Amino acid sequence: MRKILITCLMMLGIMAKAQTGYQVGDIATDFNLNNVDGKNVSLANYKDAKGYIVVFTCNTCPVAKAYQSRVEALHKEYAPKGYPVIAINTNDPVTSPGDSYENMQKLAKEKNFSYAYLEDPNHIYTKKFGATKTPHTFVLTKTAKGNEVAYIGAIDNSQDLLSSNMNDFVKNAVNSLLQGKKPEITSTKAIGCGIKWKKEGATE
C-alpha cells in the first residue's frame, strides 16, 4: 500500500511539473497559429513590438465573455505603445463545439475584434505556456535573450467591475515595463473556466 501511495505521489508530482508551463523570467518560444482571417500569426510578425499581451481565452466561458471588451480595450490602448494583444482559443472544438474555428470567426466579426484571435486546437501552446483557465494572461517583454515572461495571471481583480479596490494587473504590469521597470505584481491567480481539453485518444 505504501509503495502504491509513493508511486501515485510521484506521478502527481510529474504531472504537476509537466503542467506548470512558463514561470516569470522564462523565455517564451514563438508560435505559428491560424488567425480568424485565415492567416498564420507568430510573435515575429510584430516587428515593432516591445512585448505582447497573450490572452488564452475562448468563445464560450462566461468569464471569458465578461472580459471580451476589456481585452479589446487593452489592445487599443497598448498596441500603439508596442504591446499588442494576441488572443488564443485554448478549447478543443470537439469537446466544446462552440469554440470551433467557424464560431471563432463569427465571434470576431460580431464583436469586431481588432486583435489577432488564434486557434490552438491541440493545446500545444496552451500547455507550453501553462494556461489553465479562460482567460489566462501572459505579458511578455522583448529582451536581448528573447521574449521574457514578465507577468502571469488575471487581467484584473474584478470580473463584474464592482470592486472598491480595483487592481488592473495587466495594465499595471505593461505600464511598468514601458517605464523600464519590473512589474510590482508579477503573478496572480487566473480566474475563469477550466480549459476544455481534447479527450484522450481523440484525433483530428
Side-chain angles (χ1 to χ4, degrees):
M1 186 68 178
R2 186 169 178 272
K3 286 183 178 179
I4 293 173
L5 179 60
I6 291 171
T7 302
C8 288
L9 289 172
M10 287 176 66
M11 288 180 68
L12 285 171
I14 292 168
M15 287 172 64
K17 185 176 181 181
Q19 294 172 2
T20 297
Y22 293 136
Q23 302 296 308
V24 171
D26 286 348
I27 301 301
T29 57
D30 205 346
F31 45 73
N32 189 33
L33 296 171
N34 191 30
N35 190 18
V36 287
D37 63 2
K39 299 176 182 177
N40 276 28
V41 169
S42 65
L43 299 176
N45 292 150
Y46 297 80
K47 303 294 184 185
D48 299 325
K50 298 174 183 176
Y52 312 89
I53 302 169
V54 181
V55 183
F56 288 88
T57 185
C58 68
N59 290 0
T60 55
C61 169
V63 183
K65 289 180 178 179
Y67 276 92
Q68 283 171 355
S69 60
R70 273 173 273 183
V71 172
E72 178 70 26
L74 282 171
H75 182 69
K76 287 185 174 177
E77 180 174 356
Y78 290 105
K81 298 177 183 179
Y83 279 82
V85 165
I86 302 174
I88 300 176
N89 188 339
T90 65
N91 285 349
D92 171 46
V94 176
T95 304
S96 178
D99 288 298
S100 69
Y101 181 66
E102 292 74 18
N103 283 319
M104 287 174 60
Q105 290 179 309
K106 288 178 184 177
L107 179 66
K109 184 176 182 180
E110 176 189 329
K111 298 292 184 179
N112 198 27
F113 289 168
S114 60
Y115 52 85
Y117 188 27
L118 317 179
E119 62 171 348
D120 186 23
N122 294 310
H123 317 299
I124 292 171
Y125 293 98
T126 301
K127 291 178 179 178
K128 185 168 286 191
F129 272 74
T132 59
K133 301 289 184 182
T134 53
H136 202 154
T137 308
F138 295 73
V139 175
L140 312 180
T141 187
K142 282 188 177 180
T143 71
K145 296 182 292 183
N147 296 312
E148 183 177 325
V149 180
Y151 170 82
I152 302 172
I155 292 171
D156 56 45
N157 67 339
S158 183
Q159 177 186 332
D160 55 14
L161 294 174
L162 297 177
S163 174
S164 59
N165 189 28
M166 187 76 174
N167 196 325
D168 289 309
F169 302 125
V170 169
K171 280 190 172 186
N172 294 341
V174 176
N175 286 337
S176 293
L177 293 168
L178 287 169
Q179 294 169 19
K181 303 174 184 177
K182 295 281 188 182
E184 185 176 338
I185 297 174
T186 58
S187 182
T188 60
K189 183 180 180 181
I191 304 297
C193 305
I195 290 169
K196 305 301 185 293
W197 301 104
K198 186 181 290 293
K199 292 179 180 178
E200 190 174 347
T203 57
E204 284 293 290

